């Protein structure tokens, strides 16, 4: 029999029963549901709304259920619709009368909002931990390549010399933002909806500050309607996940390019690659491609929740039960992608000689050549034009800038002297870009130290 069957005179249609039920997916909230109920029951006891003996019975019963769910000995039922009614029904079956007092001064509407926040809070902590590990992997690779010159690209055209460390550190910085975005979202999410009731609070003398404190929230939410109808925290979480997947996807795309025969900047470890069923020579970057592919899935979760929430009148609407699957799917996807991606980056082999070779073609020291003339007194715009002409000449001659003789160079400008060859040397070009945040070795080392400190402050809490 249903918990809410009093008002009804007919059984729910079997199809409607399944349609309405969320237990197949919300059962993963069992722990949070039980934690929330224990805090609620204890508060009811403290406030004299139920007896302390009942409160104790409830908590003992709930602890038993938690242990049994974890041991896998409990079967949830679609007849009890969702995790909240399943737990309550099992509790009452086990402890009798006291179980029926648990839902005093509470609604599933504030209950589900509470469970979801508790769950997301925990998930954020785990995802942040994975991100910090991934950052360490990036730093470890970066440390080995602070002098590995490679072409930096714009429009996927060789542009200016950088180092492989500099490139990897760009991603480490993105991950810092992903971490702080999740932290911001967690901080804003950390208000407790419990006690909002169905929508309009309650006439019982509940203590919302007590339950909020007990469950580790900063404070109770300030408006009961908002308390039950807000899903901003889930949207913010999905937005943060989408952005973080976008970062992974960009690195995935670059990894795919880098391990192609066209680039060969890196080789992926055999353990992180897959073969072809027909082409014996193939070694494919499936991990990177899957991460790139799964990014769309996470964006999809964000879009479906945004769409589910738009135009919902206050307060709770059953549409909101649709919040869980996209969020759960995004969590599963993100938590699968980060560690596998980190492993792929950790085990890849870098080919500095191929990066250096690529850097040698494509005139990526042309800006440096113009800067050379500028430093000798020529206005930058004139130097830019002069070097443009030199590049044209080089292409006709099949030469690089540094392969031109001093005489050839001086035909363009008498300002060229023998020290130009030092200025055009690619290692020098990369290393002398010592502006704050640039690819020079000292700057890479500064970035590494900063990100190490970022990780450390979070690991020491
Ligand atoms: N299973 C529901 C959900 O996930 C719980 C809240 C149900 N509330 C209600 N009034 N039907 O949203």
């Amino acid at each position: 029999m249903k918990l809410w069957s009093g008002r009804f005179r007919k059984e729910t249609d079997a199809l409607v029963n399944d349609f309405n039920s969320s237990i197949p997916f919300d059962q993963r909230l069992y722990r949070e549901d039980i934690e929330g109920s224990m805090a609620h029951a204890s508060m009811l006891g403290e406030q004299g709304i139920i007896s302390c003996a009942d409160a104790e019975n409830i908590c003992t019963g709930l602890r038993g259920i938690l242990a049994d769910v974890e041991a896998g000995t409990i079967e949830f039922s679609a007849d009890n619709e969702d995790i909240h009614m399943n737990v309550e029904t099992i509790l009452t079956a086990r402890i009798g009368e006291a179980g029926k007092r648990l839902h005093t001064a509470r609604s599933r509407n504030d209950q589900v909002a509470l469970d979801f926040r508790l769950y997301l809070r925990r998930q954020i902590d785990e995802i942040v931990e994975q991100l910090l590990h991934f950052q360490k992997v990036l730093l470890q690779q970066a440390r080995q390549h602070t002098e590995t010159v490679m072409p930096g690209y714009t429009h996927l055209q060789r542009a200016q010399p950088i180092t492989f460390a500099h490139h990897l550190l760009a991603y480490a910085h993105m991950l810092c933002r992903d971490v702080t975005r999740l932290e911001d979202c967690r901080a804003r999410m950390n208000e407790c909806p419990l006690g909002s009731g169905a929508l309009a609070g309650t006439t019982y003398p509940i203590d919302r500050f007590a339950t909020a404190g007990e469950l580790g929230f900063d404070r109770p939410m300030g408006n009961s309607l908002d308390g039950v109808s807000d899903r901003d925290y889930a949207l913010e979480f999905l937005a943060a996940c989408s952005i973080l997947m976008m970062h992974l996807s960009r690195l995935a795309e670059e990894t795919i390019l880098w391990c192609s025969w066209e680039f060969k900047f890196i080789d992926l470890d055999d353990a992180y690659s897959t073969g072809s069923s027909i082409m014996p020579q193939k070694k494919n970057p499936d991990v990177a491609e899957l991460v790139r592919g799964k990014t769309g899935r996470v964006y999809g979760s964000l879009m479906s929740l945004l769409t589910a929430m738009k135009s919902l009148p206050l307060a709770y609407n059953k549409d909101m039960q649709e919040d869980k699957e996209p969020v759960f799917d995004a969590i599963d996807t993100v938590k699968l992608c980060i560690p596998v991606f980190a492993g792929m980056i950790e085990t890849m082999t870098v080919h500095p000689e191929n990066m250096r070779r690529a850097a040698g073609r494509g005139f990526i020291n042309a800006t440096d050549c113009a800067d050379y003339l500028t430093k000798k007194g020529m206005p930058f715009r004139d130097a830019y034009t002069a070097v443009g002409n030199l590049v044209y000449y080089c292409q006709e001659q099949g030469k690089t800038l540094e392969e031109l003789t001093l005489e050839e160079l001086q035909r363009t400008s008498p300002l060229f002297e023998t020290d130009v060859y030092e200025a055009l040397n690619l290692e020098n070009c990369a290393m002398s870009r010592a502006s704050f945040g640039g690819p020079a070795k000292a700057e890479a080392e500064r970035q590494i130290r900063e990100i190490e400190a970022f990780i450390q402050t979070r690991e020491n809490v």
Side-chain angles (χ1 to χ4, degrees):
M1 203 175 57
K2 297 222 180 299
L3 276 177
W4 38 254
S5 64
R7 189 238 175 276
F8 292 80
R9 292 296 170 267
K10 248 185 176 179
E11 287 286 303
T12 315
D13 177 90
L15 208 54
V16 172
N17 201 45
D18 286 343
F19 183 67
N20 197 40
S21 167
S22 53
I23 191 67
F25 50 86
D26 69 13
Q27 54 181 285
R28 70 157 96 182
L29 297 175
Y30 71 88
R31 184 149 51 126
E32 289 72 19
D33 195 69
I34 289 172
E35 278 170 10
S37 287
M38 284 176 29
H40 180 66
S42 305
M43 180 277 292
L44 291 179
E46 289 287 319
Q47 296 297 106
I49 300 168
I50 64 174
S51 72
C52 287
D54 280 346
E56 255 164 54
N57 272 341
I58 291 172
C59 288
T60 311
L62 287 170
R63 263 190 289 273
I65 296 174
L66 179 61
D68 291 346
V69 178
E70 248 138 40
T73 56
I74 284 187
E75 278 249 0
F76 296 119
S77 133
D79 281 341
N80 290 323
E81 201 173 318
D82 54 26
I83 185 64
H84 325 294
M85 294 205 292
N86 266 276
V87 172
E88 192 185 327
T89 305
I90 297 166
L91 179 71
T92 302
R94 290 186 175 191
I95 69 167
E97 205 66 12
K100 292 196 253 170
R101 299 192 194 275
L102 167 62
H103 212 53
T104 313
R106 186 177 71 170
S107 156
R108 273 187 299 156
N109 297 350
D110 55 347
Q111 192 177 354
V112 70
L114 170 67
D115 294 1
F116 209 29
R117 276 175 197 251
L118 286 172
Y119 183 79
L120 271 176
R121 220 170 56 175
R122 208 166 250 150
Q123 294 303 320
I124 286 177
D125 293 343
E126 287 178 22
I127 293 169
V128 164
E129 209 177 298
Q130 289 186 329
L131 287 173
L132 296 179
H133 169 73
F134 188 21
Q135 285 187 303
K136 284 193 216 162
V137 167
L138 288 170
L139 292 187
Q140 178 191 317
Q141 283 285 7
R143 271 185 219 106
Q144 295 169 52
H145 295 288
T146 53
E147 291 177 274
T148 302
V149 172
M150 71 179 276
Y153 296 83
T154 63
H155 313 267
L156 203 56
Q157 300 286 322
R158 293 175 191 170
Q160 289 180 342
I162 58 169
T163 67
F164 192 50
H166 194 57
H167 201 115
L168 293 176
L169 287 169
Y171 284 97
H173 280 281
M174 294 176 216
L175 295 185
C176 285
R177 290 195 298 276
D178 291 325
V179 166
T180 52
R181 232 185 307 279
L182 286 167
E183 288 171 348
D184 289 349
C185 160
R186 190 193 193 287
R188 239 184 320 281
M189 160 186 320
N190 208 32
E191 293 189 345
C192 187
L194 186 63
S196 298
L199 74 163
T202 178
T203 55
Y204 295 97
I206 58 171
D207 184 350
R208 293 194 60 202
F209 288 85
T211 42
E214 173 67 26
L215 293 164
F217 288 100
D218 297 329
R219 65 191 75 83
M221 289 184 76
N223 178 293
S224 65
L225 275 181
D226 186 41
V228 290
S229 52
D230 171 39
R231 293 293 180 273
D232 291 3
Y233 56 95
L235 289 166
E236 280 190 41
F237 171 76
L238 288 173
C241 286
S242 296
I243 295 172
L244 115 71
M245 285 301 292
M246 178 268 289
H247 294 151
L248 294 194
S249 182
R250 293 181 78 171
L251 185 53
E253 170 72 11
E254 297 197 309
T255 305
I256 294 161
L257 286 173
W258 290 342
C259 71
S260 70
W261 280 106
E262 282 68 17
F263 280 75
K264 263 302 166 229
F265 286 2
I266 60 163
D267 263 312
L268 295 179
D269 196 78
D270 278 2
Y272 283 85
S273 314
T274 45
S276 150
S277 61
I278 171 173
M279 296 167 280
Q281 86 285 9
K282 286 300 285 290
K283 181 173 159 184
N284 294 326
D286 286 25
V287 167
E289 291 170 276
L290 269 175
V291 167
R292 189 175 58 183
K294 284 177 188 293
T295 300
R297 205 174 152 137
V298 177
Y299 293 1
S301 293
L302 172 62
M303 288 322 295
S304 55
L305 186 55
L306 278 172
T307 311
M309 291 307 294
K310 87 184 250 299
S311 4
L312 286 189
L314 301 188
Y316 179 84
N317 301 269
K318 190 76 172 197
D319 315 45
M320 289 159 76
Q321 182 165 285
E322 290 292 309
D323 59 359
K324 281 164 213 68
E325 286 163 294
V327 168
F328 293 159
D329 189 74
I331 289 170
D332 294 344
T333 305
V334 164
K335 285 173 81 176
L336 206 57
C337 288
I338 301 171
V340 82
F341 205 90
M344 180 185 72
I345 297 295
E346 189 171 12
T347 55
M348 71 185 178
T349 308
V350 181
H351 298 303
E353 66 292 355
N354 292 342
M355 294 183 180
R356 180 61 181 77
R357 196 172 311 123
R361 293 279 152 186
F363 306 102
I364 66 174
N365 50 2
T367 311
D368 301 85
C369 190
D371 287 341
Y372 172 88
L373 291 175
T374 305
K375 284 170 192 166
K376 299 251 167 181
M378 190 184 284
F380 176 76
R381 196 43 76 202
D382 294 339
Y384 169 94
T385 307
V387 177
N389 286 325
L390 272 178
V391 168
Y392 186 83
Y393 175 77
C394 281
Q395 274 185 307
E396 278 190 322
Q397 304 291 312
K399 282 183 168 184
T400 65
L401 284 168
E402 59 273 32
E403 282 165 359
L404 295 176
T405 63
L406 191 58
E407 201 221 326
E408 284 175 303
L409 287 166
Q410 283 174 342
R411 256 184 260 146
T412 296
S413 167
L415 291 173
F416 282 117
E417 293 171 274
T418 48
D419 60 348
V420 68
Y421 295 106
E422 220 164 282
L424 292 179
N425 171 280
L426 287 177
E427 281 68 30
N428 292 341
C429 291
M431 289 305 133
S432 54
R433 297 174 173 278
S435 50
F436 186 85
K441 187 172 184 192
E443 270 307 299
E445 286 166 350
R446 180 195 55 76
Q447 295 179 50
I448 291 170
R449 279 195 306 277
E450 256 180 35
I451 297 168
E452 279 169 347
F454 177 91
I455 297 169
Q456 234 164 36
T457 36
R458 282 155 179 86
E459 284 184 337
N460 290 340
V461 287

